Amino acid sequence: MVATRIDPVDSPEVEGIGARLASAARTYWTVLRRHRVILFVTMALCLLAALLYILLSTPDYRATASVEVEDVPAGAAGAGAARSMTDDTETVMQTELEVLRSRALAEEVVRDLALVGTPTFFEGMGVSPPKEGSAGLSQRQVEQERVVALLRRNLEVELPGKSRIIRISFVSADPVLSARVANSYADSLIRSDLKRGFESGVQARRFLLGELDGARRDLSRAERELAIYAARTGGAPVEPDKGAQEAGKPRSPEPKFAPSEGSIETRLAQLNGYRAQAVSERIAAQKRWESARRASVETLPEVLNNGAMQQLMAERAQARAALVEERQFRKDAHPEMREARARLAALDDQATEMANRIRASLKEQYDVAVHGEKQIATEIAGLERDAQAARGRDVQLSIYERSVDTYRMLHDSLLQRYRDMASQAGFQAGRIQPLDRAAVPAHPFSPKIGETLLLAALGGLALGLLLVAARHIFDDAVTSADTLAERVGLPLLGAVPVTGDNPQPPEIFTPIARSLLLASAGGLPRSILVTSAQEGEGKSLTLNALARALAGLGKTVLVIDGDMRRPVQHALFRVAPGKGISEVLTGQARAADAIIPTGVERLALLPCGAVPPNPAELLATPALDDLLAAVRDDYDTILIDAPPILGLGDTPLLGARVQASLMVVEWGRNHHGGLRVSVDRLRRAGGVIIGAILTKQQGRAFEYDYHRGG
């Protein structure tokens, strides 16, 4: 099976979209052609207004000068340069623009060019100068206010892109005046910038001078406080290092007292050494004393190592040995035994006394060591208190000296900046530099003829399209079968183009005549009333052409000119008027005698005849029924030309007596409100409306001449 490729262009969806677009385009084009008069008139009026504006306008000349705004002014240094480098570019440019638009700069231009008191400026601006003062102001003051207002109103400033160029333009009727004012604005802006820079420098120097005086006073006060404190505490502040100050180096924040050999720190170090020695001696003495207190006297090392004690102990040992030896030979009561015992007892007492003295000396050594340690500790505590007080004095003195250093550095810095600004005063260039001078313009820039006419044409076209769209949106006139059926509920039998006041070609109405053959169950209605809502819609021409078309189809037709107020059928058929329907209805003539041939085969005419004073009274009589009954059998159909429905009572009377009624509606003229009233009125009277014919239709298909051949 071979797959068939479908071209998207040939698909039904694409064809439907294309058809809708083409239909919409045709509709829009039709609307434009219908209301082309509105479009052309609107454009013509806009062009005429532009032409009048060009002819009546005074030529204006624009002169332009330009200046450049630099980042940092030439020769800038110090604070001014730092400030300029940190400025935001956009903010600077906007500031300069506001300065240009300011009243102060305008007043400076007025003084620079001497514009007050001379009529030249007002003549160049195309206005008349004030003649007298007002509101408590003198004539000169009023004139100056007027000049300033004109300058600010006609000044134009521009920033081209993101550049640093400012274009200064002035517009006036005098080219020389425009150039002078533009150049004066540029010069005034430059002078204003220089003046602001100079004044800011003066203010800065004044400010620095005040700060410098304050720093000098603070430095003097700090030095005085340092000297007073040093004198009160007995310390001597170290003099600042001249070389370090000249080199710009900061001074060392060390203690400012010069230490000596007998200072507190040295003495405290010595006492700490003594205290360590005393503690060790006290510990040794304490150990000896503790041993002597707990042990026997004879066993003490101090006792044993004592020479006298050793000799005494040797003598005691000999005495004890002699006593033992004597006891072998003698009794205790023997004198020698008593003497030996007495000598031994004396030696024991001496040894005990000597041992006690040695123990007492150990206790005394311990007490001396404890007392010495306490004495050294007390002296150290005192020295520590003195050292802490000295350190407090050093810290406070350091605070005073740092304060002096700080104020001295601040004073030196302010002094240096003041010297720099003083050396640059009057020699610093401004931020704004001139770029181009304004030349005298050779040609006016306003009015611009080509642009004005082009804008007027485009504006007229846009306004015309807007008016056409508004007219189309809010216009409820009947222009199609859809609007006819939607607004009044009538089917459209056909539409005919505009052909003027001449009889319309019958071949146009042939399709309509064929549709009338099927208008009822019995075929062609036996009597048809042709009317319209208002006059001038072409009902008489339509009836005439429709009668000719029916006759061309082989039908016998009788045309009755029922419009007895403005009868025209005899003129359309080009026959002489004679007796007509008015005479028949009044009984002055018979219908057969009043009917005349029209020169068209199978087509006869019953003209109006004499115009009656009140046609409605004649139409209300039974004579109309008798007339229709008398001629009904002689013709296939009777076409009655009735007057318009609105404002007249003739047509409802005729519509109630005919089999069918046919409405003639002019394309684009008859609004649905009046048309609906007409249809309702005819239907309430008993008329049966079978459809409507749209006359004078406008469109591409009907834009040719039907009578071009002859």
Side-chain angles (χ1 to χ4, degrees):
M1 181 177 180
V2 179
T4 303
R5 182 179 181 271
I6 300 177
D7 191 352
V9 179
D10 297 333
S11 63
E13 294 80 359
V14 176
E15 291 180 356
I17 295 175
R20 287 195 295 272
L21 291 176
S23 176
R26 287 194 297 270
T27 302
Y28 295 149
W29 179 248
T30 301
V31 171
L32 287 177
R33 290 185 63 84
R34 175 188 172 193
H35 300 292
R36 60 184 179 272
V37 176
I38 296 177
L39 185 62
F40 293 152
V41 169
T42 304
M43 292 183 64
L45 291 177
C46 289
L47 288 173
L48 180 60
L51 186 60
L52 291 176
Y53 168 76
I54 293 172
L55 294 176
L56 298 178
S57 296
T58 302
D60 291 330
Y61 295 86
R62 174 192 288 163
T64 303
S66 59
V67 296
E68 180 183 2
V69 181
E70 297 180 350
D71 283 337
V72 181
R83 183 183 65 253
S84 300
M85 293 176 65
T86 58
D87 282 342
D88 183 72
T89 302
E90 184 177 356
T91 302
V92 171
M93 301 304 291
Q94 292 298 326
T95 301
E96 298 300 337
L97 290 184
E98 294 303 321
V99 170
L100 277 170
R101 299 188 184 104
S102 65
R103 177 184 177 87
L105 201 64
E107 291 177 349
E108 186 173 349
V109 172
V110 171
R111 291 190 296 269
D112 181 37
L113 299 179
L115 299 179
V116 179
T118 58
T120 306
F121 177 76
F122 291 100
E123 293 175 358
M125 299 302 299
V127 296
S128 57
K131 301 300 182 182
E132 58 184 8
S134 62
L137 300 177
S138 64
Q139 191 269 343
R140 185 176 181 83
Q141 290 175 333
V142 173
E143 184 175 344
Q144 182 172 358
E145 292 294 327
R146 185 72 178 277
V147 171
V148 170
L150 289 173
L151 286 177
R152 300 180 69 184
R153 186 187 310 163
N154 291 273
L155 175 67
E156 299 177 359
V157 291
E158 180 186 3
L159 286 175
K162 295 184 178 180
S163 65
R164 292 181 174 274
I165 306 300
I166 299 178
R167 293 178 180 172
I168 307 169
S169 303
F170 190 78
V171 179
S172 71
D174 186 357
V176 177
L177 178 63
S178 297
R180 290 181 60 206
V181 174
N183 289 327
S184 179
Y185 258 106
D187 296 339
S188 299
L189 180 64
I190 295 173
R191 288 196 300 268
S192 176
D193 178 66
L194 291 173
K195 183 179 179 181
R196 291 198 306 270
F198 179 77
E199 290 180 352
S200 63
V202 171
Q203 294 295 330
R205 289 195 299 275
R206 290 179 181 174
F207 173 77
L208 284 178
L209 187 59
E211 293 295 316
L212 186 59
D213 292 339
R216 187 181 296 111
R217 289 193 298 269
D218 292 338
L219 178 59
S220 300
R221 177 178 52 80
E223 291 177 342
R224 186 168 53 254
E225 290 177 351
L226 175 61
I228 293 173
Y229 183 79
R232 186 172 64 249
T233 57
V238 178
E239 292 297 327
D241 188 358
K242 301 294 184 179
Q245 287 188 353
E246 292 176 359
K249 298 180 180 179
R251 295 188 346 179
S252 175
E254 297 296 330
K256 304 305 177 179
F257 286 113
S260 60
E261 295 181 357
S263 62
I264 297 177
E265 288 80 2
T266 305
R267 179 61 177 163
L268 187 60
Q270 294 175 353
L271 289 178
N272 283 326
Y274 294 156
R275 181 171 62 176
Q277 183 179 357
V279 168
S280 63
E281 291 178 355
R282 190 262 306 165
I283 292 174
Q286 184 177 4
K287 288 182 179 180
R288 290 193 299 272
W289 164 242
E290 292 292 336
S291 299
R293 188 177 57 179
R294 291 192 299 267
S296 175
V297 177
E298 290 81 3
T299 61
L300 292 176
E302 290 79 2
V303 174
L304 297 177
N305 295 330
N306 189 283
M309 189 66 182
Q310 291 177 359
Q311 184 178 0
L312 184 61
M313 291 181 67
E315 291 178 358
R316 189 178 62 173
Q318 291 176 1
R320 185 177 291 114
L323 180 62
V324 171
E325 184 179 356
E326 289 292 335
R327 185 172 291 167
Q328 293 177 0
F329 301 105
R330 294 179 179 91
K331 292 183 179 183
D332 291 335
H334 190 275
E336 290 183 4
M337 287 294 292
R338 287 197 296 269
E339 183 180 357
R341 283 197 299 271
R343 189 171 55 252
L344 180 59
L347 290 173
D348 287 337
D349 291 338
Q350 290 180 3
T352 301
E353 183 181 358
M354 185 174 292
N356 288 334
R357 284 199 301 269
I358 292 174
R359 179 184 290 177
S361 67
L362 292 175
K363 178 65 171 65
E364 185 178 358
Q365 291 177 3
Y366 170 69
D367 291 339
V368 170
V370 170
H371 178 70
E373 182 184 2
K374 290 182 178 179
Q375 202 171 18
I376 292 175
T378 302
E379 188 173 356
I380 288 175
L383 286 176
E384 287 179 349
R385 288 193 296 271
D386 294 341
Q388 186 175 3
R391 283 195 296 270
R393 289 193 299 270
D394 287 345
V395 170
Q396 186 63 33
L397 190 62
S398 298
I399 293 174
Y400 279 118
E401 292 193 347
R402 280 195 297 270
S403 178
V404 169
D405 292 341
T406 301
Y407 285 123
R408 181 176 289 111
M409 292 175 60
L410 178 61
H411 174 269
D412 294 343
S413 175
L414 291 174
L415 181 60
Q416 184 61 38
R417 291 187 60 180
Y418 180 78
R419 289 172 179 172
D420 293 341
M421 295 190 65
S423 64
Q424 295 172 3
F427 297 100
Q428 182 173 331
R431 181 196 299 267
I432 302 176
Q433 302 297 327
L435 190 62
D436 290 329
R437 301 289 292 177
V440 177
H443 304 284
F445 90 101
S446 175
K448 299 177 181 178
I449 299 177
E451 294 182 5
T452 303
L453 292 179
L454 178 60
L455 290 177
L458 295 177
L461 178 62
L463 181 60
L465 292 176
L466 183 62
L467 292 177
V468 168
R471 176 68 184 273
H472 178 69
I473 292 174
F474 296 104
D475 187 10
D476 57 355
V478 177
T479 57
S480 65
D482 294 336
T483 57
L484 187 65
E486 177 184 353
R487 295 170 180 173
V488 294
L490 292 179
L492 180 64
L493 300 181
V496 295
V498 179
T499 58
D501 295 333
N502 298 320
Q504 297 178 341
E507 58 269 18
I508 300 178
F509 286 86
T510 299
I512 302 176
R514 293 184 184 278
S515 64
L516 289 177
L517 299 179
L518 305 174
S520 65
L524 180 68
R526 299 302 300 273
S527 58
I528 301 175
L529 178 71
V530 180
T531 184
S532 62
Q534 52 189 343
E535 62 179 354
E537 297 190 57
K539 63 176 181 59
S540 298
L541 291 173
T542 300
L543 182 142
N544 186 276
L546 187 60
R548 294 172 185 269
L550 288 172
L553 294 176
K555 302 295 182 180
T556 56
V557 181
L558 173 64
V559 175
I560 299 178
D561 196 351
D563 190 355
M564 292 182 287
R565 299 177 185 273
R566 296 181 62 182
V568 295
Q569 290 298 329
H570 65 280
L572 295 177
F573 283 110
R574 296 180 182 179
V575 296
K579 294 181 180 180
I581 186 175
S582 59
E583 285 80 10
V584 174
L585 294 179
T586 57
Q588 300 178 16
R590 294 185 306 110
D593 298 335
I595 295 174
I596 58 177
T598 61
V600 180
E601 188 179 359
R602 293 184 295 275
L603 180 58
L605 171 65
L606 178 59
C608 173
V611 177
N614 193 349
E617 292 181 0
L618 292 179
L619 297 176
T621 61
L624 179 61
D625 296 330
D626 296 339
L627 171 62
L628 295 177
V631 300
R632 182 178 296 117
D633 296 334
D634 298 332
Y635 300 95
D636 293 331
T637 185
I638 300 172
L639 299 180
I640 302 177
D641 186 4
I645 299 175
L646 295 178
L648 300 175
D650 304 358
T651 303
L653 296 174
L654 292 171
R657 290 173 171 81
V658 297
Q659 186 179 355
S661 297
L662 186 63
M663 290 292 297
V664 174
V665 180
E666 181 179 350
W667 186 92
R669 176 189 176 191
N670 223 322
H671 298 273
H672 71 275
L675 184 60
R676 185 183 295 114
V677 172
S678 302
V679 171
D680 292 343
R681 185 178 182 186
L682 186 58
R683 285 173 175 170
R684 284 197 302 268
V688 178
I689 305 175
I690 60 175
I693 298 176
L694 203 59
T695 62
K696 303 180 183 180
Q697 180 175 351
Q698 301 177 14
R700 183 180 296 274
F702 307 105
E703 290 293 331
Y704 55 88
D705 187 4
Y706 290 95
H707 304 281
R708 184 174 298 175

